[in-house]
Amino acid sequence: MGLIYLELFATLDLVGQAPGGPEEDPVAFPFGGWQAPLMNEVTGAQIAAAYEGTDALLVGRRTYDIFAAHWPYQEGEIASLFNRVPKYVASRGKPDLSWAGSTQLGLDLGDAVREVRDRHENVKVVGSLDLVQTLLREKLFDRLDLWVHPIMLGVGKKVFDGGTVPTNMTLLEPPAVSPKGTVYLRYGLADGIPATGDMSASEAGDSRNE
């Protein structure tokens, strides 16, 4: 069984909508392309490294349409990767799957995603915030790569917006900070759900030991 990675870009207030450019959401969102001014060589290298070993993409319909209109006409390492690997599209409609290697997932999304994970080693989910909410809700992911950027927008779809359930995560490596203040976090899905405790009881115990 392979691993499903969520690759997410977010602001400090966890908005993840349309980081790449204004055309991603040209009407409903006024800050499309918010990530571009914060990109630098460090962040670019982190993103490129995160895609190493990818052997499949799993995306929602909107992200697929944006990618299909862009990546087939680009050159470079990521373009070559995206054009080469199989693309799996979560959609209830009838998307145009003209991008080579594209397949629409079945109506039972959970079973379809599990089949994709069984078929591949490293499946990357890019953007696709609506799909991400389903994967979070069903815990159908194994890794979470999150780039948190030093801006706040106040509007827009959140990366954790209605899909989260009580979930333990483990930090896989120390956070990395770019020169422009973007923090790169890598987490793995852990067993169980968050525990609770009483901080006041802990403080009382500490005071008795003084």
Side-chain angles (χ1 to χ4, degrees), residues 195-206:
T196 61
D198 187 346
M199 289 294 293
S200 61
S202 176
E203 292 171 358
D206 291 343

Side-chain angles (χ1 to χ4, degrees), residues 7-118:
E7 306 291 337
L8 297 171
F9 306 110
T11 64
L12 280 176
D13 52 344
L14 295 181
V15 172
Q17 187 172 359
E23 72 283 354
E24 293 183 13
D25 277 303
V27 177
F29 184 62
F31 294 108
W34 54 263
Q35 185 186 24
L38 297 168
M39 287 293 293
N40 55 73
E41 290 184 0
V42 172
T43 305
Q46 291 169 349
I47 295 171
Y51 287 119
E52 290 181 0
T54 298
D55 60 353
L57 295 179
L58 173 60
V59 295
R61 167 70 179 273
R62 182 186 291 274
T63 297
Y64 176 80
D65 288 344
I66 293 169
F67 280 13
H70 176 76
W71 288 114
Y73 312 102
Q74 306 302 311
E75 297 180 351
E77 184 178 352
I78 291 183
S80 177
L81 172 68
F82 282 12
N83 288 323
R84 182 178 70 252
V85 303
K87 276 75 68 175
Y88 296 95
V89 187
S91 175
R92 295 186 180 90
K94 296 181 178 180
D96 176 7
L97 300 179
S98 57
W99 191 10
S102 300
T103 302
Q104 184 173 357
L105 296 179
L107 294 178
D108 189 329
L109 184 61
D111 284 347
V113 170
R114 292 182 185 94
E115 290 178 6
V116 170
R117 181 160 57 183
D118 288 341

